[in-house]
Amino acid sequence: MDINLVNVINQHKASIKVSLTLKEESQQFTKLLFKAFYDCDTDAHKALQDLEHLFVKIRNRACPEIKDKPCKRWEDFKDKIPDLYASLKMDAEAIYNNDPASQSIEEIYLAYPGFFAISIYRMARVFYQLNLPLIPRLMTEYAHSVTGIDIHPGAQIGASFFIDHGTGVVIGETTTIKDSVKIYQGVTLGALTVKKQYQNTKRHPTIEDHVTIYANATILGGDTVIGTGSVIGGNTWLTKSVPSHSVVTHNHQIEIFSKIKKADE
């Protein structure tokens, strides 16, 4: 055995103190939480017991200095569950009412990656507001790995939120999204400048009520506000605010020509 190599590895581990078990258990916790909320074959009482046990384990791994202390309690999350249910029901109904391809509300819960990502975001957001470190990010990153939708738990998202298709959506930490907003695949709500010195500032845009943002639009900057009722067209790049009830489009030229040469050419 190469003792020197083992020592190097152990020194590196000691310096970063990363627990992959925490990541794995956080994913397990997230999956069980979703099943406890929605799966009719999952016993709710047993699931809540298992979730409490898992919560204590991941809390103690994430915060070893507060191990077994009550400052981050399962009860703090459990008290929020009725409000979470009400909020997620509004999200599911928004998706069902706005997507002509949806056949039933059950389909939304089972088959829509946007709803899954929103659900995990809202669950993680509760832990984020309780100042529980790391675990909210692990939860939303699990949803990101499953759906391709990246929502930071620090983002503030209002009621009746609709993500359609969803692959490639990015919603940054200081984004504010008001009520009844619809976004499509590839949308980025990001920072205009990425520098560590801006860590505690608002770096991401504000989206007002009843805004629709179509595929692959990019909206950047903490001072950027998309006004109420606006429609942002696909492939648009915005770094400035848009007044209420605006339509923003990206104009580009498309040329269509025949591959077959004419006889006289």
Side-chain angles (χ1 to χ4, degrees):
M1 181 182 294
D2 191 330
I3 300 299
N4 289 333
L5 178 57
V6 171
N7 288 336
V8 168
I9 292 172
N10 286 334
Q11 287 173 8
H12 183 66
K13 286 182 178 181
S15 67
I16 60 173
K17 296 181 181 178
V18 169
S19 170
L20 290 179
T21 303
L22 172 61
K23 183 174 183 177
E24 292 163 357
E25 289 178 343
S26 294
Q27 291 178 354
Q28 183 183 354
F29 177 85
T30 304
K31 288 187 279 188
L32 181 56
L33 189 58
F34 191 83
K35 289 180 70 175
F37 269 41
Y38 301 118
D39 180 28
C40 62
D41 296 325
T42 297
D43 181 85
H45 179 71
K46 184 178 185 308
L48 287 172
Q49 290 180 323
D50 292 342
L51 284 165
E52 181 175 6
H53 175 70
L54 262 176
F55 170 79
V56 171
K57 287 179 67 177
I58 60 178
R59 180 203 65 186
N60 290 348
R61 288 189 187 279
C63 328
E65 71 281 2
I66 61 163
K67 186 175 181 179
D68 296 325
K69 295 182 181 179
C71 57
K72 313 292 179 185
R73 304 178 307 154
W74 168 246
E75 287 75 12
D76 296 328
F77 175 80
K78 193 167 64 173
D79 290 344
K80 304 290 186 182
I81 289 178
D83 290 338
L84 263 179
Y85 260 123
S87 182
L88 289 168
K89 183 179 179 183
M90 293 175 69
D91 295 325
E93 289 171 347
I95 296 171
Y96 177 70
N97 291 332
N98 284 284
D99 185 6
S102 63
Q103 300 299 312
S104 67
I105 197 71
E106 291 79 13
E107 183 182 11
I108 306 303
Y109 288 97
L110 289 171
Y112 274 64
F115 179 74
F116 183 79
I118 293 167
S119 295
I120 302 309
Y121 154 77
R122 293 206 189 276
M123 296 168 187
R125 174 73 179 166
V126 174
F127 290 125
Y128 183 88
Q129 291 173 316
L130 292 173
N131 296 316
L132 186 66
L134 196 55
I135 292 169
R137 284 301 305 274
L138 292 173
M139 292 175 69
T140 55
E141 280 305 312
Y142 170 67
H144 183 195
S145 70
V146 172
T147 66
I149 299 168
D150 182 2
I151 309 177
H152 194 287
Q156 301 178 53
I157 300 178
S160 301
F161 185 42
F162 172 28
I163 299 176
D164 198 12
H165 304 295
T167 305
V169 165
V170 177
I171 300 174
E173 178 187 16
T174 63
T175 303
T176 299
I177 298 174
K178 301 291 184 66
D179 296 341
S180 301
V181 169
K182 297 183 289 184
I183 67 176
Y184 290 78
Q185 67 273 15
V187 167
T188 296
L189 304 178
L192 186 59
T193 302
V194 182
K195 293 182 179 179
K196 195 67 174 180
Q197 67 207 58
Y198 300 134
Q199 182 173 17
N200 296 316
T201 63
K202 180 163 170 52
R203 307 181 305 280
H204 305 89
T206 295
I207 313 299
E208 298 286 355
D209 297 334
H210 300 284
V211 169
T212 299
I213 307 173
Y214 283 106
N216 299 314
T218 298
I219 304 172
L220 305 178
D223 295 328
T224 304
V225 178
I226 306 302
T228 299
S230 293
V231 176
I232 309 301
N235 298 307
T236 304
W237 178 281
L238 284 173
T239 59
K240 296 181 180 179
S241 294
V242 171
S244 297
H245 307 292
S246 298
V247 176
V248 181
T249 61
H250 171 71
N251 293 320
H252 59 280
Q253 185 175 357
I254 297 177
E255 295 183 1
I256 302 175
F257 56 91
S258 176
K259 294 168 63 177
I260 303 172
K261 291 185 178 181
K262 297 180 180 179
D264 56 351
E265 291 183 345

